[in-house]
Amino acid sequence: MKKFGLSLTSLGLASLISLVGCDDSGNEFVDNKFTPSQVIVASAGPNSMGVVTQFDSRELTGDSNFNPMVNGSLVINGGDDLFGVTSSISMAYTSPGITVATNVFNRSLNFNLSIDSKNVVAGLAGPTGIENVDSRGMVLVGESTSRTVFGIGQRARGTDGTPAPAVFQTAAFAASAVPLGIAYDNSNDRLYVSLNDGTIAVFDTFFASGPSGASPTSILTIQIGGNAAVNITFLKLNGDSLFLADAGVQNVADGAIAVINGITAKAGATGTVSTNARISGTNSRLVDPTGIAFANNNNLFVSDVGANRVFNFGQSLANGGGNVGPLQQRTVSMPTGFASRIGGPKFTTDNNDLDSAVGDFTVIFTNNASGTGRTLGQVDGGLANIGGITFTIDSDLGGPMNVENCVVDNLGNVFVTADDGSNTTGTGGLLSLGVPFNGRMSAINPNNTGTDWDSVITGGNTQFKNPKGFDVCRDRGVIIIVENDQSSPAADAPQIIVYGFNASGNVTEFGRTTNLGLAGRRPWDCDYNKRDDRLYVACTDGTLIVYDNFLTTKLGGTSSAAPERVITPSDGLLPISVNLHGVIYNDATDQLILSDVGSAAVDDDGQIFVVNNAKFANGLTKVSTRIRGANSMLGNPVDIVNNGDTLFVAEKANGGGRILRFDNIFGRGDTMTASPDAMITTTAPESVSIAPGLTLAPAPMNQPQ
């Protein structure tokens, strides 16, 4: 039988079914009774090719559809980004690769390069199964042509027209053995790969031993109900149990869902392994099952490309299985990729919005070293040095560049804005350094960031010349950047620019706001409050401008809407701000923290302000806290970040540069004598960020050859 020009043999299933592996975050296995959960399924049907449908798993109803160009397997990472296989089996898809769609559980927009990315990976001719490994900042993808598993950086996007290289590729499996399902055991560093001959390949100490060129340490021959498995298309781990889907013979109603309990003890040696329970037979209605997801107190959901159905088997497998029918079903045309999420998003706050203090964290800061070196430094909460890494970004942006601001997201990716330092010429950009922390398989290239891990937004379509501060809004799926451009041609005036979290290359923005309330006003930093959809922007004329309903009403092309309010810090009588640079909004206390560099040429006139009742502040506003004076070490406090009521400051000028820490920032009052509670010297730091529970990896780990 032929569909879309390919024979649906086992190899055809590898191209079409391309099944999803497990998510090592464990979201799908939280025992969260009666919590609404969302199921998401991709389709390869003739009238719904590439469409993803999201629905409520309780009733299998409540559709929300969009087209991210995914017609194969898919997986959702811890930030709700969808990584999906795009196959070349349809004329609509000219080249195979990985599509990355942003904020998949909270959107209805179709694929959009201002939000998403089409990540074509070199050598990825026939992608099959896909697995997410957040702890390593990677996705693992089966490849049918080379019969290998590719390791791909989650932030890798390549460059315009140039595919991203894979981080690594395993050794090829035996002739005619096609990898289909993939599941990774993060606790034991063990990889399971199902093959189209009914076996499962096991890789022990997969990352620790070096995955490049790795071969299986054991091969398991699977028996389901006393019969040999035929074509295991899908794998999913739940604790120490490995769930699998066997499609059997193509288009014959012989599909099965089964589970192997105690897989850790059974996977160590080559041999036959029998499943502990199965669902199969005529009552099950299984034909060619393609995926498994768990939702609503671990109810078992199954997608079946041969039956054109999604089934809910409830607790049937846990209760012994057998020839049992589904509790619910719904029609989906050729469902391929399948996943679910229980409750809300994994990340409800961003690292740059830590209203309440976290105990396990490090402080990341950037320097523009002499020559071409750029540094990510790292200290602990007491400002003790931990170590850092040096990299350059010049080749990424077409010339000598300076890092301007940095933010670390919840998964450990570091985002930086950069420009040529002239404020008038050249093209700036926003770069993403994929997880330069423990777990990255190779160090950042000392000559430039690596396209196997990293990505950049830059070019003439981007409006970037001198991008400065920005806010990574992970659960909104956007990055909000302020553009300080001082050359001010009509198309590139100072403005606020918004991109989707996964945009890359020379692409136009998702939206931008050009009205800053006053001609000649220039922004330097911003902070977005998601609860009220409000954006606070610090400007170099000493004002803080405020946009209400920012993402709701001021996006969609170019907005000329003016800010609703303009706040000017005062002592109760007169303005006291000169040149605002850093801004933090604390949602828990409704307070703003602002930094003021004064004159950039003076190294002792910096200030820190706290403004109370920020939601209603307008016009000349008396500050509740004002830190300044010689003891404060404040000269050019160019950036700030807080961990609860502890403030960290990147002081660029005083003493040649320092990282300062001020405790109890909200309760200090107006003082000329306050000293930092801790400080270290570092050359002219440009920015500072918080990284909860993360440590930079200063050296390569199992560098692929």
Side-chain angles (χ1 to χ4, degrees):
M1 179 179 180
K2 291 182 180 289
K3 292 184 180 179
F4 308 110
L6 287 183
S7 173
L8 291 184
T9 59
S10 294
L11 181 57
L13 277 173
S15 299
L16 175 63
I17 297 177
S18 312
L19 301 172
V20 62
C22 80
D23 178 349
D24 73 312
S25 65
N27 285 351
E28 296 187 5
F29 303 108
V30 177
D31 187 3
N32 199 348
K33 295 183 180 180
F34 312 118
T35 299
S37 57
Q38 298 152 303
V39 177
I40 191 164
V41 58
S43 172
N47 297 317
S48 56
M49 177 68 72
V51 172
V52 165
T53 301
Q54 176 185 316
F55 47 88
D56 188 330
S57 64
R58 294 170 298 183
E59 302 295 335
L60 299 187
T61 58
D63 290 0
S64 174
N65 301 317
F66 75 105
N67 191 338
M69 302 197 303
V70 171
N71 60 0
S73 63
L74 61 85
V75 68
I76 313 297
N77 75 354
D80 281 352
D81 296 321
L82 179 152
F83 291 81
V85 166
T86 298
S87 169
S88 59
I89 62 176
S90 166
M91 292 180 63
Y93 304 94
T94 58
S95 57
I98 305 300
T99 291
V100 189
T102 301
N103 205 21
V104 69
F105 285 111
N106 188 31
R107 67 177 286 172
S108 59
L109 292 173
N110 288 336
F111 180 83
N112 184 330
L113 282 173
S114 297
I115 306 171
D116 313 306
S117 67
K118 174 68 166 62
N119 176 10
V120 179
V121 179
L124 196 62
T128 58
I130 187 169
E131 165 69 307
N132 170 63
V133 187
D134 278 346
S135 62
R136 298 282 177 172
M138 306 191 74
V139 290
L140 305 177
V141 181
E143 212 288 312
S144 62
T145 303
S146 62
R147 308 187 315 281
T148 62
V149 174
F150 278 57
I152 302 169
Q154 286 190 10
R155 298 300 303 170
R157 303 290 183 266
T159 57
D160 293 319
T162 303
V167 176
F168 65 80
Q169 191 174 355
T170 66
F173 295 101
S176 77
V178 176
L180 297 177
I182 303 177
Y184 178 68
D185 178 358
N186 189 65
S187 298
N188 295 300
D189 190 19
R190 174 176 283 168
L191 180 69
Y192 299 90
V193 180
S194 67
L195 306 174
N196 64 334
D197 59 3
T199 63
I200 296 176
V202 182
F203 297 77
D204 285 330
T205 60
F206 181 64
F207 285 104
S209 296
S212 182
S215 296
T217 52
S218 60
I219 300 289
L220 308 181
T221 301
I222 305 302
Q223 292 276 325
I224 302 176
N227 299 313
V230 177
N231 188 12
I232 301 174
T233 53
F234 174 85
L235 296 176
K236 193 171 196 69
L237 279 165
N238 181 1
D240 200 26
S241 296
L242 182 65
F243 291 79
L244 58 90
D246 187 353
V249 178
Q250 177 67 27
N251 284 331
V252 176
D254 60 350
I257 300 295
V259 60
I260 303 170
N261 296 323
I263 185 63
T264 301
K266 298 175 182 178
T270 295
T272 299
V273 174
S274 296
T275 59
N276 296 96
R278 74 184 190 280
I279 295 174
S280 61
T282 56
N283 291 337
S284 73
R285 306 178 189 176
L286 293 171
V287 181
D288 297 315
T290 60
I292 295 173
F294 292 89
N296 298 336
N297 196 23
N298 273 351
N299 284 336
L300 173 68
F301 292 80
V302 178
S303 60
D304 193 311
V305 71
N308 292 297
R309 297 287 190 277
V310 170
F311 299 116
N312 175 10
F313 284 100
Q315 302 290 321
S316 297
L317 190 61
N319 294 330
N323 186 10
V324 297
L327 304 178
Q328 295 172 301
Q329 63 178 328
R330 69 169 283 163
T331 300
V332 177
S333 180
M334 300 184 71
T336 53
F338 196 45
S340 69
R341 185 189 71 181
I342 292 178
K346 180 177 181 180
F347 301 126
T348 56
T349 62
D350 297 306
N351 287 348
N352 47 344
D353 294 306
L354 295 177
D355 296 340
S356 300
V358 297
D360 181 16
F361 72 98
T362 58
V363 179
I364 308 297
F365 58 92
T366 61
N367 304 89
N368 292 309
S370 59
T372 59
R374 308 293 175 260
T375 302
L376 285 177
Q378 183 173 220
V379 293
D380 63 19
L383 301 189
N385 184 48
I386 296 176
I389 53 179
T390 299
F391 63 100
T392 66
I393 55 179
D394 296 349
S395 62
D396 298 293
L397 297 175
M401 292 287 159
N402 293 324
V403 169
E404 294 296 336
N405 198 262
C406 77
V407 171
V408 184
D409 81 352
N410 307 76
L411 292 178
N413 304 297
V414 175
F415 295 81
V416 297
T417 49
D419 62 27
D420 65 1
S422 69
N423 290 326
T424 57
T425 62
T427 299
L430 175 72
L431 295 98
S432 169
L433 311 180
V435 290
F437 296 91
N438 289 348
R440 180 164 176 159
M441 294 301 298
S442 61
I444 293 177
N445 189 321
N447 298 315
N448 61 283
T449 53
T451 55
D452 55 347
W453 284 99
D454 313 309
S455 61
V456 60
I457 302 173
T458 190
N461 294 328
T462 67
Q463 309 291 336
F464 287 149
K465 283 196 172 181
N466 307 113
K468 300 298 182 183
F470 62 99
D471 198 351
V472 176
C473 311
R474 201 63 174 85
D475 71 336
R476 293 291 188 267
V478 298
I479 302 175
I480 304 171
I481 312 106
V482 301
E483 168 57 55
N484 183 260
D485 177 29
Q486 294 187 8
S487 60
S488 298
D492 295 308
Q495 58 193 289
I496 301 159
I497 301 171
V498 178
Y499 276 98
F501 183 77
N502 288 296
S504 66
N506 183 14
V507 294
T508 56
E509 68 281 349
F510 179 59
R512 59 187 176 123
T513 297
T514 58
N515 190 338
L516 303 182
L518 181 68
R521 177 173 285 154
R522 301 189 181 283
W524 194 275
D525 195 13
C526 66
D527 196 13
Y528 175 73
N529 175 237
K530 65 181 181 180
R531 182 194 301 273
D532 298 320
D533 189 19
R534 181 173 290 126
L535 183 70
Y536 298 90
V537 181
C539 299
T540 57
D541 63 355
T543 63
L544 183 78
I545 59 177
V546 184
Y547 295 91
D548 294 330
N549 304 310
F550 180 72
L551 293 180
T552 304
T553 64
K554 296 179 177 62
L555 288 181
T558 301
S559 170
S560 59
E564 275 72 19
R565 288 173 286 140
V566 178
I567 301 171
T568 302
S570 80
D571 60 5
L573 294 174
L574 300 173
I576 55 176
S577 56
V578 178
N579 185 358
L580 294 182
H581 269 47
V583 55
I584 297 168
Y585 175 72
N586 189 297
D587 185 59
T589 63
D590 189 28
Q591 291 173 295
L592 286 161
I593 311 174
L594 307 171
S595 70
D596 190 323
V597 304
S599 171
V602 178
D603 68 358
D604 62 359
D605 64 342
Q607 303 180 84
I608 299 293
F609 307 126
V610 174
V611 175
N612 294 338
N613 303 313
K615 290 181 181 179
F616 305 103
N618 193 15
L620 207 60
T621 302
K622 184 178 180 179
V623 301
S624 62
T625 293
R626 183 185 185 189
I627 302 174
R628 54 189 172 133
N631 291 344
S632 71
M633 306 292 180
L634 294 171
N636 287 179
V638 290
D639 195 28
I640 53 177
V641 68
N642 72 309
N643 182 25
D645 66 354
T646 300
L647 182 71
F648 297 90
V649 180
E651 167 50 53
K652 185 176 180 179
N654 192 282
R658 312 175 193 269
I659 301 297
L660 310 176
R661 193 191 80 207
F662 292 94
D663 299 338
N664 188 30
I665 187 60
F666 297 117
R668 286 178 172 258
D670 187 351
T671 175
M672 289 281 290
T673 60
S675 299
D677 292 278
M679 65 179 178
I680 59 168
T681 59
T682 184
T683 303
E686 288 284 352
S687 59
V688 63
S689 185
I690 293 285
L694 299 170
T695 303
L696 285 168
M701 185 172 68
N702 298 320
Q703 174 92 32
Q705 301 300 312

